[in-house]
Amino acid sequence: MKATIAVLPGDGIGPEVVGQATDLLAHIAEKYGHEFTFVEGVIGGIAIDDTGDPLPPETVQICEAADAILLGAVGGPKWSDPTASVQPERGLLELRQHFGLFANLRPVKTYPALVEHAPLRAELLENVDILFVRELVSGIYFGARQEQGDGDESHDTMSYSRGEVEQVANVAFRAAQGRRKKLCSVDKANVLASMRLWRRTVVEVHEEYEDVELEHLLVDAATMHLLTRPGSFDVIVAGNMFGDILSDEASVLAGSLGMLPSASLRADHFGLYEPVHGSAPDIAGQGLANPIGMFLSAAMLLRYSLQLEAEAQAIESAIDAALEAGLRTADIAGAGETPVSTSEFTAAVLSRL
Ligand code: NAD
């Protein structure tokens, strides 16, 4: 098949892991007889430096002309002055909102090869396979806010409409139907009015999915259950901020933040694919970045936007095989294990495809 992929490397380790992922996708294209065209655009801090805008119109045009977007990460100390009129992270928020990418899928699973050195006891990590579905274009990250300045007060607003909750709840219930048929909805309905609407709406949508078992957890309790009984969860649906926080917490289950992929989708096949981690300025430019979250994001691109399931599974199996063979980047190397660099890990994955 022919496909055009918009490539937005961004800042910090973004360009390092995106470069490895386009090599991987080019390898897949050659092996399976596809033609992928990569068109690069700027976003985040580098886009502010180049154009003054974290999401320049040219980048939006590149994405509009593509079948899917592959993104690295944005942000870094150079642009982190809180009083600056524009932040790199705004570029990413605007991109998600521009394309109406309301459902953010973040799968988290444990790797048997890594359990031995995990911070949690091995028996807690058995059979952990969770899909987070995070609402992505509303909630407190998009509500009315008072811009930062020098004043002594500012605010952000958490607001949800019934329609916004319905569309993300439908994605989550359908995902659960294709998995182990369990959905946990996370909210803060005991305190927040917007979260009472969230819970009421999820209960109503559940009527169309009676084969799915529904559980509700308050977000504070959910942070604890995620670490004490992670194997009991199947799909977890949450609003924008709670989903953001819980899925980062869940990275501990996988071994490192560098292992988690994400797909941001709307109702058609178009999507934005990016690792969950940020630009990791502390390790940028040193060949230390774990490319697995980026690679698994590329696999999700093949699966959801291009419907190339066999190719997606080939990437996932090659990563599993590289880990089984003992290859580790520094973030997942245990005591006594010699870490490999980003490009050495990539070579190990490519050779196992
Ligand atoms: P971060 O995710 O960049 O890093 C957190 C920690 O995880 C760091 O110690 C880092 O070295 C490590 N880490 C992250 N990815 C890794 C990888 N692939 N391999 C190995 N180790 C990895 O979060 P942060 O430090 O809080 O934020 C840094 C910058 O990234 C900030 O400007 C923040 O706003 C931005 N950020 C961007 C995104 C995004 O682009 N989607 C997400 C989160 C944070």
Side-chain angles (χ1 to χ4, degrees), residues 13 17 71-77 80 88-89 92 96 106 244 248 256-259 274-283 288-293 329 331:
I13 61 167
V17 291
L71 186 143
V74 298
S80 64
E89 290 76 9
L92 186 51
R96 292 164 176 168
R106 296 182 164 198
D244 192 5
D248 266 32
S256 161
L257 195 50
M259 315 265 304
E274 54 175 324
V276 166
H277 63 75
S279 61
D282 52 334
I283 59 165
L288 292 174
N290 184 338
I292 293 180
T329 45
D331 56 317

Side-chain angles (χ1 to χ4, degrees), residues 16-341:
E16 296 171 47
V17 291
V18 165
Q20 310 289 319
T22 49
D23 285 354
L24 177 70
L25 287 170
H27 200 88
I28 286 279
E30 195 185 326
K31 183 171 156 65
Y32 290 85
H34 304 303
E35 201 178 310
F36 296 157
T37 305
F38 302 106
V39 187
E40 206 167 297
V42 291
I43 190 168
I46 188 172
I48 295 176
D49 287 353
D50 285 0
T51 70
D53 182 351
L55 182 65
E58 302 76 44
T59 298
V60 175
Q61 280 162 16
I62 289 170
C63 296
E64 277 171 348
D67 297 294
I69 309 168
L70 194 67
L71 186 143
V74 298
K78 184 176 175 193
W79 308 278
S80 64
D81 176 0
T83 60
S85 61
V86 61
Q87 271 94 26
E89 290 76 9
R90 272 284 132 200
L92 186 51
L93 295 184
E94 281 172 22
L95 186 69
R96 292 164 176 168
Q97 199 176 39
H98 177 86
F99 287 100
L101 304 169
F102 63 85
N104 184 222
L105 273 48
R106 296 182 164 198
V108 177
K109 66 169 194 160
T110 44
Y111 292 83
L114 300 183
V115 161
E116 193 192 333
H117 296 292
L120 293 185
R121 287 201 311 277
E123 67 263 30
L124 282 175
L125 295 175
E126 271 168 33
N127 304 319
V128 173
D129 181 2
I130 304 171
L131 177 66
F132 284 90
V133 179
R134 167 188 168 200
E135 195 289 320
L136 202 60
V137 292
S138 185
I140 194 162
Y141 293 173
F142 288 97
R145 64 205 187 101
Q146 185 185 314
E147 287 296 335
Q148 286 168 339
D150 298 338
D152 294 330
E153 208 183 306
S154 65
H155 65 255
D156 301 277
T157 312
M158 188 184 294
S159 110
Y160 270 111
S161 71
R162 178 181 297 277
E164 286 167 345
V165 182
E166 274 172 1
Q167 64 179 3
V168 75
N170 274 301
V171 169
F173 276 113
R174 280 199 294 273
Q177 279 183 321
R179 294 170 46 107
R180 300 195 304 280
K181 297 191 169 50
K182 289 200 297 185
L183 178 65
C184 173
S185 171
V186 174
D187 60 40
K188 189 69 183 168
N190 55 340
V191 177
L192 301 173
S194 57
M195 291 289 95
R196 282 192 281 280
L197 172 75
W198 176 281
R199 190 176 289 208
R200 262 197 336 268
T201 309
V202 171
V203 168
E204 283 165 20
V205 175
H206 184 211
E207 289 171 15
E208 295 163 43
Y209 302 90
E210 283 176 351
D211 54 332
V212 177
E213 183 190 322
L214 175 64
E215 171 190 22
H216 301 278
L217 281 181
L218 296 172
V219 64
D220 35 1
T223 59
M224 184 265 295
H225 286 279
L226 202 50
L227 298 184
T228 53
R229 56 175 180 94
S232 72
F233 293 104
D234 180 15
V235 180
I236 296 179
V237 66
N240 206 341
M241 179 169 64
F242 296 162
D244 192 5
I245 296 168
L246 288 176
S247 55
D248 266 32
E249 182 194 1
S251 70
V252 176
L253 305 169
S256 161
L257 195 50
M259 315 265 304
L260 300 194
S262 82
S264 304
L265 306 173
R266 57 187 192 195
D268 61 8
H269 292 309
F270 188 80
L272 162 69
Y273 301 85
E274 54 175 324
V276 166
H277 63 75
S279 61
D282 52 334
I283 59 165
Q286 300 168 48
L288 292 174
N290 184 338
I292 293 180
M294 188 76 243
F295 289 171
L296 292 173
S297 304
M300 292 179 91
L301 183 156
L302 296 173
R303 171 172 293 126
Y304 293 113
S305 283
L306 307 185
Q307 277 75 57
L308 298 175
E309 179 62 31
E311 288 83 338
Q313 282 184 19
I315 291 179
E316 290 160 353
S317 302
I319 292 169
D320 287 349
L323 290 173
E324 289 297 336
L327 287 132
R328 307 275 187 271
T329 45
D331 56 317
I332 51 173
E337 290 176 334
T338 310
V340 297
S341 69

